[in-house]
């Protein structure tokens, strides 16, 4: 099983010297992929419920630095050469899909084809309001935006007509390096997210999932794949656990997990951040060493 690291872009992990230390150490110590999430907006007193914690609150303070994931991963790409990169996740319905298609393809080119676009529908109504994007129909908007972006990546010129976006005979370059396509990962733990992953994506990213719940979530994903003429083997299955320990890795692999994502906040000093990554590798990549 591959092991990824979700530690960039927030708080001390938003500082360039720490990003450099974490990214280079992760590559040196065998992590497969660096993940970086997104929030454009946080608010001091949210009404919206955060779906990835028991109390419905996000642990990140509203005044914390939170980098744009595509820019942060571009910086990480510049200081590494092998480790893969993924947005985990970019909140696609908050963005213009033509612009995201260009930005994602640009990152893919600059990283020599190491980037996967992880997307989610979002959960914060306050964030959508600040961006003047309707919170309703965000799932349908996400699905349509993915279709539009894939047209832009594969066709030149490209045209698209939908409910939320349309363009006619336009050229958006560069193209992704892998034959005019970019791997897309759908994030989220709900049945709707699993359906989108099975029908629209190349992978699923489950975030902060209790280890005991992973087999059932993957079973739903497999059922959705079967319903739509696909198999689970066609998807990558990345999971960040809320309560994981290294001894659970064989069972997770047997359940269908292809990548365990370790989530953490690096220390503020670059040397300490590099040592922290090395210790995570000893725990999760080489347990018992």
């Amino acid at each position: 099983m591959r092991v990824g690291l979700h530690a960039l872009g927030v708080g001390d992990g938003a500082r360039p010297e720490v990003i450099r230390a974490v990214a280079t150490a992760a590559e040196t110590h065998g992590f497969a992929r660096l993940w970086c999430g997104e929030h454009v907006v946080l608010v001091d007193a949210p009404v919206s419920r955060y779906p990835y914690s028991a109390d419905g609150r996000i642990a990140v303070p509203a005044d914390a630095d939170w980098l744009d994931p595509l820019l942060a991963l571009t910086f990480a790409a510049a200081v590494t050469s092998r480790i893969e990169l993924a947005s985990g996740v970019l909140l696609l319905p908050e963005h213009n899909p033509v612009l995201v298609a260009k930005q994602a393809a640009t990152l893919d080119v600059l990283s020599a084809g190491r980037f996967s676009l992880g997307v989610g529908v979002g959960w914060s109504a306050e964030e959508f309001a600040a961006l003047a994007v309707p919170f309703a129909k965000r799932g349908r908007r996400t699905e349509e935006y993915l279709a539009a972006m894939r047209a832009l990546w594969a066709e030149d010129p490209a045209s698209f007509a939908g409910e939320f976006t349309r363009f006619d005979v336009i050229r958006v370059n560069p193209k992704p390096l892998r034959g005019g396509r970019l791997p897309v990962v759908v994030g989220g733990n709900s049945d709707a997210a699993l359906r989108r992953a099975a029908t629209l994506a190349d992978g699923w990213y489950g975030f902060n999932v209790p280890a005991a719940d992973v087999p059932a979530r993957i079973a739903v994903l497999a059922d959705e794949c079967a319903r739509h003429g696909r198999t689970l083997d066609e998807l990558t299955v990345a999971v960040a656990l809320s309560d994981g320990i290294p001894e659970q890795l064989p069972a997770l692999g047997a359940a269908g997990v292809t990548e365990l994502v370790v989530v953490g906040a690096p220390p503020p000093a670059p040397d300490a951040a590099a040592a922290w990554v090395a210790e995570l590798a000893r725990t999760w990549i080489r347990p018992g060493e």
Side-chain angles (χ1 to χ4, degrees):
M1 185 190 305
R2 291 161 31 114
V3 180
L5 180 61
H6 189 141
L8 301 181
V10 180
D12 290 324
R15 296 167 54 197
E17 64 272 23
V18 174
I19 295 175
R20 181 187 299 271
V22 169
T24 56
E27 183 168 80
T28 297
H29 291 287
F31 283 93
R33 186 153 51 175
L34 291 168
W35 295 79
C36 186
E38 175 181 52
H39 276 293
V40 180
V41 168
L42 293 176
V43 297
D44 291 343
V47 175
S48 300
R49 188 181 188 280
Y50 179 63
Y52 304 106
S53 69
D55 64 1
R57 299 294 179 184
I58 191 169
V60 180
D63 61 352
D65 286 342
W66 196 316
L67 300 184
D68 177 279
L70 301 184
L71 293 175
L73 290 170
T74 300
F75 185 95
V79 300
T80 58
S81 60
R82 302 182 309 277
I83 193 167
E84 296 177 26
L85 312 162
S87 53
V89 291
L90 181 137
L91 305 175
L92 184 56
E94 297 181 352
H95 298 274
N96 181 299
V98 179
L99 184 58
V100 172
K102 187 178 189 76
Q103 292 170 327
T106 299
L107 174 49
D108 192 56
V109 169
L110 292 176
S111 67
R114 291 185 281 147
F115 178 59
S116 296
L117 180 65
V119 302
V121 303
W123 54 269
S124 171
E126 295 92 330
E127 185 168 17
F128 278 76
L131 295 166
V133 176
F135 189 62
K137 299 183 180 180
R138 64 194 185 281
R140 284 168 52 187
R141 188 182 295 269
T142 297
E143 294 168 8
E144 182 178 300
Y145 282 5
L146 282 175
M149 291 162 59
R150 284 192 165 121
L152 291 168
W153 291 331
E155 302 167 17
D156 196 27
S159 299
F160 186 88
E163 180 181 358
F164 306 105
T165 189
R166 61 182 56 239
F167 44 82
D168 188 41
V169 195
I170 63 172
R171 299 181 187 273
V172 176
N173 289 305
K175 302 300 185 193
L177 295 184
R178 284 156 284 188
R181 68 183 308 278
L182 193 65
V184 172
V185 176
V186 167
N189 303 343
S190 67
D191 287 355
L194 294 168
R195 176 186 56 78
R196 290 188 188 96
T199 57
L200 303 173
D202 305 286
W204 171 59
Y205 181 27
F207 188 76
N208 218 30
V209 184
D213 293 350
V214 169
R217 290 289 81 200
I218 294 178
V220 173
L221 179 63
D223 287 345
E224 289 290 349
C225 286
R227 288 181 58 221
H228 295 90
R230 303 184 73 186
T231 66
L232 186 63
D233 290 342
E234 296 177 50
L235 275 67
T236 60
V237 178
V239 174
L241 301 175
S242 62
D243 56 356
I245 57 175
E247 288 75 12
Q248 294 167 319
L249 292 179
L252 292 171
V257 175
T258 61
E259 180 178 345
L260 175 76
V261 183
V262 179
V263 180
D271 288 348
W276 173 77
V277 173
E279 181 59 32
L280 289 177
R282 282 189 290 271
T283 300
W284 291 102
I285 300 176
R286 301 182 297 277
E289 187 176 285

